[in-house]
Amino acid sequence: MLKNLTHVHRPSTIEEACALLAAQDRKNVALAGGTFLAESADLTIQGLVDLSRLELGYIRDTGTGYAIGAMTPVQDVFKSPVLQGPSGKLLKAATGRIGSTLLRHAITVGGNLVCVFPWSDLPPALLALDAEVQIRKGIPKRTVPVQTLLERNPRDFLDRAELVTEIIVPAFGPGTGTSFTKFAKTANDYGLATVAVRLTLRQGLIREARLAISGATKRPVRRPAAEAWLEGLAPTPALFAEAGVRAAQDLDLTQDFRASKEYRSEILPVLVRRGLEEALRQVTA
Amino acid sequence: MKLTLTINGKLRSIEIAPNVMLLDVLRAAGYKGVKKGCGEGSCGACAVLIDGRPRNSCLTFAAQCEGSEVLTVEGLGTPENPHPLQDAFVRHGATQCGYCNPGSLIAAKSLLDHTPAPTWEDVKEALDGNLCRCTGYVKRIEAVLDAASLGKK
């Protein structure tokens, strides 16, 4: 419970919301779906800035990809008729594995990214798709790769008065396949290792590979060394098995009651291999 | 602070603390059909419709519902005049201890509002956030499908 909460603000513009977040006399924080803050016991939080009236719930086809408003519930991404192709498939696969229907209606795309947990399902998908976020600070805005946002705690990366307002996801043409492989103890438990993959092939060779994992490390991460190693090579079962081993190397794996470090290091190469095999099957003509 | 919202079609104005959850406000206002199970979004016993979306009221700040329309199980039907879903739950014995029923019914109502002719898989997915500790999972799916087949919402 937020014991020291005294105010709830309901701004109707982004400028107004950012001004409230910048306030020096009181600590205000952004409220998206609320599932993270409802469980918080942060005694420093005095005010909530409810973002639900900023009209940030939308999914648009931009011609080169998709623009998703930060306040869009992940259920809407899961069921979106707008999202298509390899990017749409991966976004739907990832959001469909978040919690339950009840939670998916509350959790927002922006909240899920900014309040990232080690096991969050959407961030690895966004990493695999080279997605970017638009960040507003009143009128000024900047666009930052999701990868940069996730290099540390996004709430530390963002300036106090900044808001993530939109997620920008590129679309990929022919020759691209994606996959999402989550390993959890039950259908809606947190993943204890999750792998998002994108493969783009040209003339039978891997032109671009993306491997992103969550659930096994402190924060979702890409595996750039394994990606680079795959590029330029022909996809074979042996190659994918080796990529799995490489993707699991040099990782600071987490250990908790769900699984030990050793367990995670055993299953991760398998999940990466399966993810690559599935992405290859999904490659579009 | 003052919270103004519509609960089961009635406009209500309630004095609340900024940090309270919708679940506690609803129960204090007499809507005891809304159950507190886990209190952390895992069990779905507290599910209500907020502006048409099924959500865990235990993880929703009451202050998020200013101007919203909330539907609890009390707004679905009465013992004298039950909702077709409630009828179907009774016919199929889709209730054992009954604690999960209010939340399950709300999740099922949301499904039928958007998908009048659901498949078995649709129902399973729509109820994936509603734990039944008596494990009456099959009967409630049959009940929802039966209610849907009667063409009623």
Side-chain angles (χ1 to χ4, degrees), chain A residues 86-87 89-95 97 119-130 150 177-183 193-199 208-216 220-224 226-227 230 247 268 270-280:
Chain A
S87 296
K89 261 190 192 162
L90 182 51
L91 290 170
K92 289 180 188 185
T95 50
R97 292 302 308 272
W119 53 80
S120 292
D121 294 306
L122 183 58
L126 295 175
L127 286 174
L129 294 171
D130 290 347
L150 290 176
T178 55
S179 70
F180 187 79
T181 313
K182 174 174 175 175
F183 193 82
T194 298
V195 178
V197 174
R198 174 168 62 85
L199 275 184
E208 197 166 60
R210 288 288 181 275
L211 303 172
I213 66 164
S214 75
V221 287
R222 259 178 67 183
R223 306 306 296 138
E227 291 170 2
L230 280 166
L268 205 46
V270 178
L271 297 177
V272 170
R273 172 176 58 76
R274 288 180 189 166
L276 282 163
E277 288 165 354
E278 178 59 21
L280 182 64

Side-chain angles (χ1 to χ4, degrees), chain A residues 29-40 45 51 70 98 107-123 149-150 152-156 158 163-164 167 190 218-220:
Chain A
V29 298
L31 168 67
T35 56
F36 177 85
L37 286 168
E39 297 273 88
S40 169
I45 296 175
L51 308 180
I98 297 175
I107 293 168
T108 64
V109 170
N112 196 242
L113 188 55
V114 176
C115 299
V116 64
F117 287 97
W119 53 80
S120 292
D121 294 306
L122 183 58
L149 184 73
L150 290 176
R152 45 191 166 130
N153 183 336
R155 296 190 296 290
D156 294 333
L158 295 170
L163 264 186
V164 168
I167 320 293
Y190 305 136
K218 198 175 163 200
R219 261 191 299 284

